[in-house]
Amino acid sequence: MKVKYIYKYLFLALVAVILGACTSNEAESKFDQTPLERSNARKKELNDALLSSAEGWKLVYYTDNTQLGGWTHLFKFLPNGKVDMASDFDSDTDVHQSQYDLQLGSTVSLVFTTANRIHLLSQSDNYPTAALLGKGYLGDFQFFYYGVENGEIIFRTNRDFKEIRFKKATAQDWTDLAKNTVMGDNISSKLFRLLDINDGSTVSHYDFDVNYDARFAVANSLESSTAKGYNIAYQLTPAGITVKPELEVKGQKLSDFIYDSATENFVATGTNGVSATIKFTYTPPVLTDDYKIALAGQPVTRFGYFADDTTADAPTNTKQFKDAFANVNAQLDGDALMSVEIYFNHPTQGNLIVYGFASGASFIHRINVVEDAAGKKIILKHRSGNVPPFLVDFEKFLLDPKGIYVKKEAFKLTYTNTIYTFTGASSSFRMTAYKL
């Protein structure tokens, strides 16, 4: 073998040895820490990340977008294990301080250890739908750390291992948070809403059956030619709502619905005439014959709302009903309204509304029932009884001159009793009652 080839092979062998040594050293350097040391390093990494954002972090928390919407949370982590937190869960958008901890387990996790706004989504006794009785909003307050990507902190929830992301918050996020709840009031101020989808040439009409507590709507077509429907989760924004998943119309994806104060509609606008509009109506999109249960000639029926039972927690009770009920109690001195019962076709009393009070007292208002066959509703009219002043405003809704819609609901509330709702035809008043 020629000498030059010998040197060539020796050189290649030397390079291989050097590279092997480097690789070995790198591999060894990755494992020169104990598992605890590696966990502590990971913990420090997360701690540094949490403290790195000047205005804190923003999480729009969709716990389960197949039945619930999203709630915006803002966090400002402090070096002493404290955290400032605010959310748009309800009208309280103030900043509250609590404690957090970074805990070691199978991986590093962020745990909010004392009560704050994030815990409202994990309370099992606070639920927005009958299906979530005993489950709450399916939220979590322990999140497993999975690194940082594009400036976002990636976590997975302890309860169901779903990925969530903390995004850097801005000063404007904190300032505008209260505007979210204004939009919540705007969308819930009207009881019945419709969804119109314009593909640029044709407008399709859907009902928009929304649970405002759950921030979730089901939109079903009002046209017999199509069976298409949508399940829509949404979050509140300072300008309106954002829906998830996006609505796809003629290849365009619509997600941001902006509130129009002039029409009280929420509008998502695309291009070439494509749009989607959530609009309101006082008339249920789908009318039923459920009201006929109250008509003359039908068997005696009795319905009851009880302030100390699960009818009080029903998501179908509207704010206007709750406010009217609270207004009655505000006028009572040392007593409280506890029940509202409606009797139809009582064998000796006829039709009547019975109000029960904590003191044991009651007031009976005898009424007549008039059918509005065209509108598929009933009109309750005064027959006899001197209505006390503290009930006058409440009865303006029940005895709405334009009538009451009666609906047999599909859900149950703890017991097997059928649930009915009574809804004012010219207001957002809706009361939920057991059929007794």
Side-chain angles (χ1 to χ4, degrees):
M1 181 180 290
K2 294 183 179 180
V3 173
K4 65 177 182 179
Y5 292 119
I6 294 174
Y7 282 120
K8 180 180 179 180
Y9 290 125
L10 287 174
F11 176 74
L12 292 174
L14 180 60
V15 170
V17 170
I18 293 171
L19 290 176
C22 291
T23 303
S24 178
N25 289 337
E26 289 173 0
E28 289 175 3
S29 67
K30 292 180 181 179
F31 296 98
D32 61 1
Q33 294 178 311
T34 66
L36 179 59
E37 288 172 333
R38 288 196 297 274
S39 294
N40 283 329
R42 190 75 164 163
K43 180 178 178 180
K44 182 180 184 305
E45 176 184 310
L46 173 56
N47 184 67
D48 291 346
L50 292 173
L51 299 176
S52 67
S53 178
E55 297 297 335
W57 298 90
K58 177 179 178 179
L59 166 67
V60 181
Y61 193 4
Y62 283 84
T63 58
D64 180 358
N65 68 357
T66 66
Q67 58 182 323
L68 295 167
W71 286 265
T72 298
H73 291 75
L74 298 173
F75 310 100
K76 181 65 182 295
F77 294 92
L78 306 173
N80 57 359
K82 303 286 187 181
V83 58
D84 290 337
M85 190 186 307
S87 84
D88 68 355
F89 181 83
D90 52 28
S91 60
D92 180 6
T93 57
D94 292 341
V95 177
H96 300 268
Q97 190 172 95
S98 58
Q99 294 179 313
Y100 74 95
D101 190 22
L102 304 183
Q103 297 182 359
L104 299 180
S106 58
T107 186
V108 178
S109 64
L110 167 65
V111 184
F112 295 100
T113 53
T114 58
N116 208 324
R117 307 296 292 167
I118 193 75
H119 293 83
L120 294 172
L121 295 178
S122 62
Q123 295 172 350
S124 61
D125 60 346
N126 182 25
Y127 52 93
T129 69
L132 293 173
L133 175 65
K135 299 177 182 178
Y137 285 79
L138 305 178
D140 213 334
F141 53 87
Q142 179 176 14
F143 306 120
F144 297 120
Y145 174 54
Y146 276 81
V148 177
E149 181 179 80
N150 299 325
E152 300 175 356
I153 306 178
I154 305 170
F155 294 99
R156 288 190 177 274
T157 59
N158 178 47
R159 172 180 262 182
D160 50 20
F161 213 59
K162 288 184 178 178
E163 181 180 296
I164 61 170
R165 292 187 175 227
F166 283 20
K167 300 181 179 181
K168 287 187 177 181
T170 66
Q172 199 67 41
D173 287 329
W174 293 89
T175 301
D176 286 350
L177 187 63
K179 295 179 182 179
N180 289 14
T181 61
V182 173
M183 288 302 147
D185 291 339
N186 287 337
I187 195 170
S188 63
S189 63
K190 301 297 184 290
L191 189 53
F192 302 113
R193 288 197 175 269
L194 303 171
L195 173 65
D196 286 352
I197 297 179
N198 189 340
D199 66 5
S201 59
T202 304
V203 179
S204 300
H205 304 284
Y206 300 80
D207 70 355
F208 195 74
D209 187 6
V210 57
N211 181 320
Y212 300 112
D213 291 332
R215 298 186 184 175
F216 191 84
V218 177
N220 292 311
S221 176
L222 295 174
E223 299 155 359
S224 58
S225 60
T226 177
K228 186 174 183 179
Y230 300 93
N231 290 332
I232 301 172
Y234 69 89
Q235 67 194 66
L236 304 175
T237 70
I241 66 170
T242 296
V243 303
K244 186 176 184 178
E246 303 157 316
L247 296 181
E248 187 165 346
V249 184
K250 278 291 180 73
Q252 299 182 42
K253 293 184 177 180
L254 306 178
S255 60
D256 295 325
F257 286 74
I258 307 303
Y259 179 65
D260 178 5
S261 59
T263 62
E264 299 186 79
N265 294 338
F266 289 77
V267 184
T269 305
T271 59
N272 299 321
V274 169
S275 67
T277 303
I278 300 170
K279 55 178 61 174
F280 79 89
T281 174
Y282 283 121
T283 304
V286 179
L287 296 175
T288 71
D289 288 334
D290 294 343
Y291 75 97
K292 290 185 176 181
I293 195 172
L295 300 182
Q298 297 296 317
V300 59
T301 51
R302 172 187 166 209
F303 301 91
Y305 168 87
F306 303 94
D308 59 351
D309 209 332
T310 50
T311 47
D313 299 325
T316 40
N317 294 323
T318 59
K319 184 176 185 298
Q320 193 160 50
F321 163 72
K322 295 175 184 177
D323 289 348
F325 198 93
N327 183 54
V328 173
N329 285 330
Q331 299 176 68
L332 297 175
D333 185 13
D335 206 350
L337 178 61
M338 297 301 295
S339 63
V340 180
E341 297 181 67
I342 305 176
Y343 290 77
F344 296 112
N345 302 309
H346 188 280
T348 59
Q349 301 292 325
N351 305 307
L352 57 153
I353 306 172
V354 180
Y355 297 91
F357 299 88
S359 63
S362 63
F363 169 72
I364 298 175
H365 187 184
R366 290 173 173 81
I367 57 174
N368 290 320
V369 177
V370 177
E371 179 184 12
D372 177 357
K376 291 185 178 291
K377 58 184 183 287
I378 55 174
I379 301 171
L380 307 183
K381 294 190 173 184
H382 170 80
R383 177 161 58 97
S384 66
N386 295 318
V387 179
F390 54 81
L391 285 175
V392 169
D393 287 339
F394 186 88
E395 288 223 324
K396 286 179 181 177
F397 297 113
L398 271 182
L399 275 67
D400 187 333
K402 293 188 177 180
I404 292 286
Y405 293 105
V406 180
K407 182 183 178 184
K408 179 181 179 181
E409 301 289 349
F411 65 87
K412 294 288 193 292
L413 292 170
T414 304
Y415 311 111
T416 58
N417 300 65
T418 302
I419 302 298
Y420 278 75
T421 51
F422 296 83
T423 304
S426 62
S427 72
S428 295
F429 178 97
R430 182 169 61 195
M431 180 179 75
T432 308
Y434 293 119
K435 181 176 181 292
L436 301 169

